Amino acid sequence: MLYLPSLSRPLGVLLLSCFVAGGFAALDARTVHAALPGESKEATDQRMAWWRDAKFGMFIHWGLYAIPAGEWKGRKVPGIGEWIMDRGHIPVQEYAPLQKQFNPVKFDAAKWVGIAKRAGMKYIVITSKHHDGFCLFDSKLTDYDVMGAPFQRDIMKELADECHKQGIQICWYHSIMDWYQPDAKGANFPKYAEHLRGQLKELLTNYGKIGVLWFDGEWIGEWTEEQGRELEKTIRDLQPQLIVNNRIGKRKRSPGDFGTPEQEIPATGMPGWDWETCMTMNDTWGFKKDDHNWKSTDDIIRKLVDIVSKGGNFLLNVGPTAEGVIPQPSVERLAAVGKWLEVNGESIYGTGASPFSRLAWGRCTQKPGRLYLHVFEWPTEGQLAVRGLGNSVNKAYLLADADRAALEVAATDDSLSIRLPAKAPDPIDSVIVLEIEGEPNVTNPAITQSSGNALTLHARDASTHGERIRYESGSGKDNLGFWTSPEDWADWVLRITKPGTFEVEVTYACPNVSAGSEYVIEVAGTRLAGKVQGTGSWTQFKTEKLGTVKLPADRLTLSVKAKNLVGEGVMNLQSIVLRPVE
Ligand code: FHN
């Protein structure tokens, strides 16, 4: 009995567009990691250690959708390739026969694993079953699997064996949402949930040690946090060291070990918990023959560095063809990333997040006693400025320099100046190693006066204090956001060299429904009170004058604190400008 289309698919599409639009990812960004109930921090750290060190993995979306490859009955179907059944409004009884065409004669597990290894990827996450319900593994619980296709080989077994052989961690993606199984919607869902558990048992019993179970399709109404928690217990009984993503629940305060922002890099990472950005190399997860919009190698390397500098992992996708071939543009880019990692891998694998909130010329990663400065924009005048570092530097050298010849470092009051050769070792990202004493001691550099003596305190330069408030950017935002607790606040350090009286101008956004919160700006003993007005939305910014302050020649701290919280958030604060009064 084949499952006929149901409401869940259009609903799924609606939800997906929300996710892809970043709405969900933003929601995802607020997920707070909750350690496995009853597991000690030490045990969690031990279980997560390989994944935290790995930093870079290969996502593989492969299945029947690679056969139509974005086209159905001569018509191009918009959207991501693995959703063709939904976007193309293809009934299951028309789609499922693709199984009898699935014969990827060029599939070669050793070749795929070799591509991942040469790219410097440490784990592979492959779609054991995507939303269409087709299983790339030999399942005794359905005939809608690869053994029922002409290919008749257990692809997951071949890939898992090769990964174990070559020292790459094999991981399973598995979709909770299932457009094929008749019980996967409505009243019979508990029966499908039993089927789901059974297949996960197969995947965790027959293929050796599995690194990660990467759930997806959890947004369907039938799936609950509670079911996620129950399922987590079941699968951990099978493989206690297993790592699970937060989509086993509903991606909020869910069960699971790490957050999963998708197609985006959270502006300030996700401080205090594990997270992984997953991203396509073009615009589709599953293969589409007409999608040639490949990201450049530069872009991919800088995304990897940006993500790792913010404390995350990068899961980069490939979508193999129906014949079992990873597209050549993907192979070329991965090989180039691997070449860069051969020279600079020490600054990526096993590193921690940057101690700096922002660096104009690049990013930073760290290991005990070492800072790795990733210079994207090589300075033309031969000097690199590093502001706000309080540590003394024992040595600085280029990571690409096998001799580790010392670079000249000059310290001024709140910054370092590193003399660099005229030519960057790598045009995409050149890494400078700073050997420092002790833990990094970094303060946000003081904001200094412009030529007109004004000071611009931008959200991205603020120090934030509290659980939720953080800098966010993208999709019309460039502000302090998630200000959902009145206890959270922000401040800036100012260096006033030309004292005087300054007008205080505040630029913020706030939907009318959330307006009304009161706040106070304090600097040099003066307090200015403000009340948040509605500006129309979280991304419609308006500027208002709050009053004037007298500032002496000194290093000062300006703070902004909420007195109360009226709506969902205090405001999205973009900047505070101190403009000298003539
Ligand atoms: O609907 C899926 C989509 O097809 C793809 O698998 C991505 C990858 O993370 N996950 C879902 C959308 O969030």
Side-chain angles (χ1 to χ4, degrees):
M1 153 63 173
L2 290 179
Y3 173 51
L4 295 175
S6 80
L7 181 64
S8 71
R9 295 217 312 236
L11 181 61
V13 172
L14 177 68
L15 286 164
L16 178 65
S17 53
C18 159
F19 307 152
V20 172
F24 199 90
L27 179 63
D28 201 38
R30 287 177 287 177
T31 304
V32 176
H33 169 56
L36 187 64
E39 182 179 62
S40 69
K41 182 182 178 315
E42 293 68 30
T44 301
D45 290 346
Q46 183 275 328
R47 188 166 53 82
M48 296 297 292
W50 75 264
W51 184 89
R52 289 171 178 165
D53 287 348
K55 302 298 179 188
F56 191 30
M58 177 184 272
F59 214 170
I60 304 178
H61 276 71
W62 197 34
L64 299 184
Y65 36 79
I67 299 171
E71 206 167 287
W72 191 257
K73 294 182 179 172
R75 194 170 54 86
K76 289 192 186 338
V77 178
I80 42 185
E82 71 286 0
W83 273 70
I84 190 167
M85 190 174 156
D86 189 282
R87 288 295 176 94
H89 309 293
I90 305 167
V92 173
Q93 60 270 33
E94 278 188 40
Y95 179 91
L98 288 171
Q99 177 184 16
K100 300 309 175 193
Q101 298 176 45
F102 191 68
N103 193 19
V105 292
K106 293 183 180 173
F107 168 68
D108 177 339
K111 200 172 275 185
W112 284 18
V113 176
I115 290 168
K117 271 189 90 168
R118 283 191 297 280
M121 293 165 148
K122 302 296 184 186
Y123 58 104
I124 291 176
V125 180
I126 184 165
T127 50
S128 61
K129 183 196 77 165
H130 203 264
H131 310 332
D132 62 0
F134 180 70
C135 300
L136 282 181
F137 63 99
D138 176 6
S139 173
K140 302 304 174 225
L141 301 175
T142 178
D143 295 332
Y144 196 44
D145 71 349
V146 68
M147 306 314 281
F151 198 54
Q152 282 194 329
R153 282 161 46 186
D154 186 338
I155 288 166
M156 297 296 102
K157 183 84 173 75
E158 293 182 31
L159 192 62
D161 290 350
E162 194 59 38
C163 282
H164 297 317
K165 187 174 144 196
Q166 295 201 37
I168 287 250
Q169 188 55 64
I170 184 71
C171 311
W172 305 136
Y173 164 112
H174 202 77
S175 177
I176 293 165
M177 179 166 74
D178 187 310
W179 295 332
Y180 178 82
Q181 292 298 331
D183 298 326
K185 173 88 192 110
N188 287 345
F189 189 82
K191 195 166 164 228
Y192 166 73
E194 201 45 47
H195 169 87
L196 175 70
R197 273 191 292 276
Q199 287 202 317
L200 290 167
K201 185 170 180 188
E202 293 178 313
L203 286 165
L204 294 176
T205 307
N206 305 334
Y207 302 92
K209 180 181 178 296
I210 303 304
V212 176
L213 249 180
W214 211 100
F215 286 95
D216 205 8
E218 81 297 335
W219 54 80
I220 53 174
E222 290 85 356
W223 192 253
T224 64
E225 292 267 292
E226 200 37 51
Q227 290 173 62
R229 286 195 180 82
E230 285 311 306
L231 181 60
E232 185 173 31
K233 282 191 212 123
T234 305
I235 58 181
R236 287 197 198 281
D237 286 346
L238 292 163
Q239 294 215 15
Q241 291 305 307
L242 193 66
I243 294 172
V244 178
N245 76 347
N246 70 340
R247 302 187 187 187
I248 188 170
K250 301 297 251 186
R251 295 196 222 184
K252 297 193 294 293
R253 198 176 183 75
S254 77
D257 296 303
F258 62 92
T260 52
E262 181 171 318
Q263 302 285 38
E264 63 137 9
I265 302 169
T268 54
M270 299 176 187
W273 59 308
D274 294 294
W275 60 278
E276 172 194 74
T277 278
C278 59
M279 204 171 268
T280 53
M281 224 183 284
N282 48 9
D283 292 327
T284 178
W285 304 93
F287 178 69
K288 284 185 82 173
K289 54 175 166 265
D290 293 333
D291 183 335
H292 307 295
N293 187 29
W294 301 103
K295 292 174 179 67
S296 67
T297 301
D298 297 27
D299 186 23
I300 292 168
I301 289 173
R302 290 187 176 182
K303 280 178 164 55
L304 171 65
V305 173
D306 185 30
I307 289 165
V308 173
S309 77
K310 291 167 177 169
N313 280 22
F314 190 21
L315 187 64
L316 184 59
N317 185 73
V318 297
T321 67
E323 292 182 305
V325 174
I326 295 177
Q328 192 52 25
S330 297
V331 173
E332 287 162 3
R333 284 153 179 78
L334 290 174
V337 176
K339 282 255 167 294
W340 183 84
L341 281 166
E342 270 171 26
V343 175
N344 301 286
E346 176 191 324
S347 68
I348 296 291
Y349 302 120
T351 59
S354 173
F356 299 94
S357 58
R358 194 170 73 87
L359 291 164
W361 38 258
R363 300 293 184 273
C364 178
T365 53
Q366 63 167 303
K367 279 178 181 170
R370 288 192 173 176
L371 294 178
Y372 298 97
L373 306 181
H374 295 263
V375 185
F376 295 170
E377 315 301 334
W378 196 253
T380 49
E381 67 286 357
Q383 295 281 344
L384 184 78
V386 182
R387 299 186 62 203
L389 180 63
N391 301 74
S392 57
V393 175
N394 297 330
K395 184 177 180 183
Y397 59 89
L398 292 170
L399 185 56
D401 174 5
D403 302 331
R404 298 193 169 184
L407 299 171
E408 195 185 308
V409 179
T412 56
D413 59 347
D414 78 344
S415 81
L416 294 178
S417 179
I418 305 170
R419 180 173 294 285
L420 297 178
K423 189 170 180 330
D426 187 293
I428 301 172
D429 173 17
S430 298
V431 181
I432 298 164
V433 184
L434 292 188
E435 292 181 351
I436 60 171
E437 281 302 324
E439 288 293 308
N441 165 22
V442 172
T443 52
N444 268 346
I447 308 293
T448 54
Q449 286 171 276
S450 68
S451 54
N453 298 340
L455 295 107
T456 300
L457 286 53
H458 194 281
R460 61 174 170 266
D461 299 321
S463 296
T464 54
H465 309 272
E467 277 290 301
R468 313 210 31 114
I469 188 171
R470 63 169 56 102
Y471 174 65
E472 55 174 340
S473 67
S475 313
K477 296 180 177 173
D478 176 21
N479 54 262
L480 291 178
F482 298 111
W483 198 350
T484 54
S485 162
E487 279 70 52
D488 290 4
W489 54 285
D491 62 16
W492 291 261
V493 174
L494 318 179
R495 183 138 58 86
I496 306 296
T497 50
K498 298 182 181 64
T501 303
F502 295 79
E503 179 99 68
V504 179
E505 298 173 1
V506 186
T507 300
Y508 66 81
C510 183
N512 301 343
V513 67
S514 278
S517 299
E518 294 173 85
Y519 63 97
V520 174
I521 288 178
E522 180 163 6
V523 60
T526 302
R527 291 162 59 88
L528 293 178
K531 184 167 184 171
V532 177
Q533 307 302 312
T535 66
S537 76
W538 290 117
T539 52
Q540 284 172 277
F541 291 91
K542 287 190 178 146
T543 300
E544 67 182 27
K545 293 188 164 86
L546 219 53
T548 60
V549 291
K550 280 174 78 64
L551 300 180
D554 199 347
R555 257 177 99 88
L556 304 169
T557 297
L558 181 146
S559 66
V560 55
K561 297 184 177 180
K563 289 171 71 175
N564 60 8
L565 174 64
V566 167
E568 189 192 344
V570 177
M571 62 173 123
N572 275 358
L573 176 59
Q574 186 169 79
S575 68
I576 297 172
V577 172
L578 307 179
R579 210 175 292 287
V581 174
E582 299 308 323

